[in-house]
Amino acid sequence: MDMDRPIILPEPVYRGLIRYCSEQSPCEACGLLLGSEAQGALHMERFVPVPNIAERPKHHFIMDPAALIPFLYPSPGEPAPAGIVHSHPRAAAVPSPEDLATPWSDIPSHWIVSLADPRSPVVRAYRYESGGRKYTELTWRLLRGGSGQAGDAESSVQ
């Protein structure tokens, strides 16, 4: 997937990932964003929660491999993994050295939900480059309700 294209995140998908990350706090939450390219943009179509099986889930995340299998090989026409999501329950939405060491660096986007202020979650998206040694922040747009209008999310970085 071409990550130089705009990323569109529908409001129901956004709300679902915020809700799941909040429910998992104080542990790190994790999951997948499934998406497809259409009309010159990457459209995130679905958030899939994945259990965190890390031994210390308050400080790390490891996605349950068994839960990932159904999504790694989508049927033709089905949305594919286009983003890895995880939360930082007490830290900023910036990749840690451990985040950058992910074996999933080939996934087009990595999303971090900061719950440092649980009343105002911050969501940022990144592309990991050079085998996870550096990152670039990605711009994304929130597609509000049923209006068909893309607007800035309060927590997105433009």
Side-chain angles (χ1 to χ4, degrees):
M1 292 183 186
D2 180 1
M3 290 314 300
D4 291 329
R5 295 180 182 212
I7 301 172
I8 307 298
L9 185 66
E11 189 172 22
V13 176
Y14 170 83
R15 292 198 185 286
L17 72 90
I18 294 293
R19 183 174 33 258
Y20 181 71
C21 290
S22 297
E23 289 169 353
Q24 298 304 304
S25 187
C27 295
E28 289 195 19
C30 50
L32 292 175
L33 280 168
L34 305 179
S36 60
E37 292 186 45
Q39 302 171 348
L42 176 59
H43 293 264
M44 298 300 188
E45 299 173 28
R46 183 174 168 206
F47 170 66
V48 177
V50 175
N52 180 355
I53 61 167
E55 287 185 24
R56 297 178 57 220
K58 290 182 180 180
H59 305 283
H60 307 284
F61 80 97
I62 297 174
M63 292 189 290
D64 181 352
L68 292 173
I69 291 171
F71 304 102
L72 296 180
Y73 304 100
S75 300
E78 292 292 317
I84 299 285
V85 175
H86 80 282
S87 65
H88 285 177
R90 293 166 299 283
V94 177
S96 69
E98 184 176 279
D99 293 339
L100 293 172
T102 180
W104 298 98
S105 60
D106 59 332
I107 296 290
S109 62
H110 292 259
W111 299 67
I112 301 175
V113 177
S114 171
L115 299 169
D117 178 354
R119 295 166 296 158
S120 184
V122 175
V123 179
R124 291 190 171 158
Y126 300 92
R127 174 179 45 233
Y128 294 172
E129 302 170 25
S130 301
R133 291 190 297 271
K134 67 179 191 169
Y135 59 89
T136 300
E137 189 162 3
L138 301 171
T139 300
W140 60 276
R141 297 266 183 205
L142 182 69
L143 181 62
R144 301 231 182 245
S147 68
Q149 299 293 319
D152 294 335
E154 293 176 13
S155 52
S156 72
V157 175
Q158 302 298 319

